């Protein structure tokens, strides 16, 4: 048996004067007196302790019944092995994992156990089960299966999570026990697990510098030798700044050094502030968002925001004279001066 308490069913052929349960491999362990000495069928509930009521340590014990009838005759009956197990199983792994971000379809939710040296997991679906709910608390239906050798139970969803409409935070709740009746603790850190399903790539909402908005592949904006460029973006699961790559290159494709400050706002809004300086070449510079990645791995790639820079002043030239003056002619000469 697998016990916190083991129920022994016995049938006696005659009345007894003494009756006890003893440990064959532990001769010094006090035997347990058994009630029900009369002829007939009896049950005895053993609580896992010895004859003095001292609880035995978890493990496997070989026990037998010893009886003495009123004529002094002694007989034994070998019961075999009884396993004492008072420790609850623990959850070793949940897939998808706790606080995980996933952008690939989800068909199955798995829970694996660590029963230690205790009894096996009770995979009766009334005892050991998985529940999956979306952010609104709506249950996601599926069928339970198990692998006793792997100590694993799985919920296979009736409909995979695979569309952007299903994006959001999901909660896995698990209840389970071993065959000794020990339940997974309510405070087990993996008993309630949350993960995020996200299949949508981040978006860039605006790129500005000096009060001007930079446009994709449009170099109409002129910027000074030093300044600040601000990139505003949005993603439901927030940007993975460590996996985000942004470059700034000169007209001759040389890298321009800049610093970047990342700020997280509310509701998935983020701002990246680029501080650059020391532009020396005249011409078109390129701000390149090589990759903008969120925590689920969705990546926006290769966005180019060009702008121009000039070393010489940009004031408009002024006409100071024309030739010929106030006369019709085929050839007109204009003389300009820059401010």
């Amino acid at each position: 048996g697998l016990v916190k308490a083991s129920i022994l069913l016995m049938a006696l052929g005659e009345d007894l004067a003494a009756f006890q349960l003893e440990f064959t491999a532990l001769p010094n362990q006090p035997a347990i007196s058994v009630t029900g000495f009369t002829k007939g069928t009896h049950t005895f509930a053993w609580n896992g302790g010895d004859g003095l009521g001292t609880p035995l340590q978890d493990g496997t014990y070989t026990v037998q019944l010893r009886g003495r009838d009123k004529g002094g005759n002694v007989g034994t009956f070998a019961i075999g092995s009884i396993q004492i197990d008072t420790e609850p199983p623990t959850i070793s792994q949940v897939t998808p994992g706790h606080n995980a971000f996933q952008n690939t379809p989800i068909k199955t939710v798995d829970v694996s156990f660590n029963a230690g040296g205790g009894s096996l997991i009770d995979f009766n679906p009334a005892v050991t089960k998985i529940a999956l709910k979306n952010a609104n608390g709506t249950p996601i239906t599926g069928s339970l299966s198990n692998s006793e050798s792997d100590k694993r139970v799985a919920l296979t969803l009736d409909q995979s999570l695979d569309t952007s409409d299903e994006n959001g935070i999901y909660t896995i709740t698990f209840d389970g026990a071993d065959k000794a009746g020990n339940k997974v603790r309510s405070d087990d850190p993996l008993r309630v697990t949350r993960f995020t399903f996200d299949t949508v790539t981040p978006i860039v909402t605006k790129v500005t510098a000096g009060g001007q908005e930079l446009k994709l592949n449009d170099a109409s904006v002129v910027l000074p030798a030093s300044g600040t460029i601000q990139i505003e973006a949005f993603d439901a699961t927030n940007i993975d700044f460590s996996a985000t790559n942004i470059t700034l290159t000169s007209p001759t494709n040389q890298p321009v050094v800049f610093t970047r400050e990342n700020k997280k706002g509310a509701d998935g809004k983020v701002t990246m502030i680029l501080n650059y300086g020391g532009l020396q070449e005249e011409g078109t510079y390129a701000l390149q968002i090589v990759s903008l990645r969120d925590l689920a791995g969705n990546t926006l790639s290769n966005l180019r925001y060009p702008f121009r820079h000039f070393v010489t002043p940009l004031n408009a030239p002024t006409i100071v004279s024309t030739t010929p003056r106030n006369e019709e002619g085929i050839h007109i000469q204009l003389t300009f001066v820059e401010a």
Side-chain angles (χ1 to χ4, degrees):
L2 301 164
V3 298
K4 276 185 174 179
S6 183
I7 305 298
L8 303 180
L9 179 63
M10 304 166 292
L12 301 179
E14 60 178 309
D15 294 345
L16 299 179
F19 196 24
Q20 64 185 21
L21 178 70
E22 60 185 16
F23 306 92
T24 57
L26 300 172
N28 295 326
Q29 201 82 33
I32 303 163
S33 295
V34 179
T35 57
F37 295 174
T38 59
K39 180 180 179 180
T41 302
H42 302 273
T43 59
F44 173 70
W46 177 44
N47 64 2
D50 63 13
L52 298 178
T54 304
L56 299 176
Q57 294 183 349
D58 283 13
T60 302
Y61 296 84
T62 303
V63 295
Q64 67 179 12
L65 290 168
R66 179 182 294 273
R68 177 170 54 83
D69 65 18
K70 293 181 178 181
N73 302 300
V74 176
T76 60
F77 180 84
I79 295 176
S81 297
I82 294 181
Q83 182 178 359
I84 298 177
D85 178 15
T86 61
E87 290 296 321
T90 58
I91 302 172
S92 58
Q93 184 175 352
V94 178
T95 306
H98 187 51
N99 291 332
F101 295 87
Q102 187 156 336
N103 63 358
T104 55
I106 297 173
K107 181 63 177 176
T108 304
V109 174
D110 291 315
V111 177
S112 299
F113 301 90
N114 178 14
S119 52
L120 299 176
I121 301 300
D122 186 350
F123 285 113
N124 184 331
V127 176
T128 299
K129 50 193 173 183
I130 302 172
L132 177 65
K133 294 182 179 181
N134 64 17
N136 297 322
T138 303
I140 309 300
T141 59
S143 57
L144 286 173
S145 61
N146 65 77
S147 171
E148 190 163 323
S149 60
D150 295 333
K151 300 176 182 174
R152 181 178 64 88
V153 62
L155 175 67
T156 301
L157 307 184
D158 294 335
Q159 178 63 49
S160 298
L161 302 180
D162 54 12
T163 68
S164 60
D165 292 341
E166 297 167 306
N167 285 1
I169 298 174
Y170 288 80
T171 301
I172 304 168
T173 305
F174 172 79
D175 288 299
D178 60 23
K179 291 186 177 181
N182 302 300
K183 295 182 178 180
V184 172
R185 295 184 187 277
S186 59
D187 59 353
D188 190 300
L190 295 180
R191 182 178 171 272
V192 178
T193 298
R194 293 178 176 86
F195 69 90
T196 300
F197 179 61
D198 177 18
T199 60
V200 179
T201 58
I203 60 172
V204 174
T205 55
K206 185 183 290 187
V207 179
T208 57
Q212 305 177 84
E213 184 173 352
L214 276 65
K215 301 291 186 181
L216 274 172
N217 304 315
D218 182 348
S220 58
V221 171
V222 177
L223 295 182
S226 62
T228 298
I229 301 174
Q230 183 168 293
I231 302 172
E232 297 178 20
F234 169 82
D235 186 82
T237 59
N238 272 325
I239 301 300
D240 182 357
F241 293 115
S242 64
T244 294
N245 183 14
I246 299 173
T247 63
L248 180 59
T249 54
S250 72
T252 56
N253 205 33
Q254 297 301 307
V256 176
V257 176
F258 62 88
T259 62
R260 191 180 88 196
E261 179 183 0
N262 305 313
K263 292 184 176 182
K264 289 185 178 181
D267 301 325
K269 296 178 181 178
V270 299
T271 302
M272 291 168 283
I273 301 172
L274 281 56
N275 295 298
Y276 71 91
L279 303 189
Q280 297 180 352
E281 297 181 50
E282 288 191 338
T284 300
Y285 287 73
L287 173 68
Q288 186 90 10
I289 300 177
V290 180
S291 61
L292 184 62
R293 180 176 177 177
D294 67 17
L295 294 175
N298 304 298
T299 304
L300 182 68
S301 302
N302 299 322
L303 300 183
R304 184 175 181 271
Y305 292 87
F307 64 87
R308 292 177 296 149
H309 170 67
F310 296 98
V311 177
T312 54
L314 296 177
N315 293 340
T318 302
I319 301 176
V320 295
S321 65
T322 63
T323 303
R325 184 184 299 273
N326 298 327
E327 296 179 6
E328 293 184 0
I330 298 175
H331 176 72
I332 298 179
Q333 178 179 321
L334 302 180
T335 303
F336 299 90
V337 62
E338 289 187 344

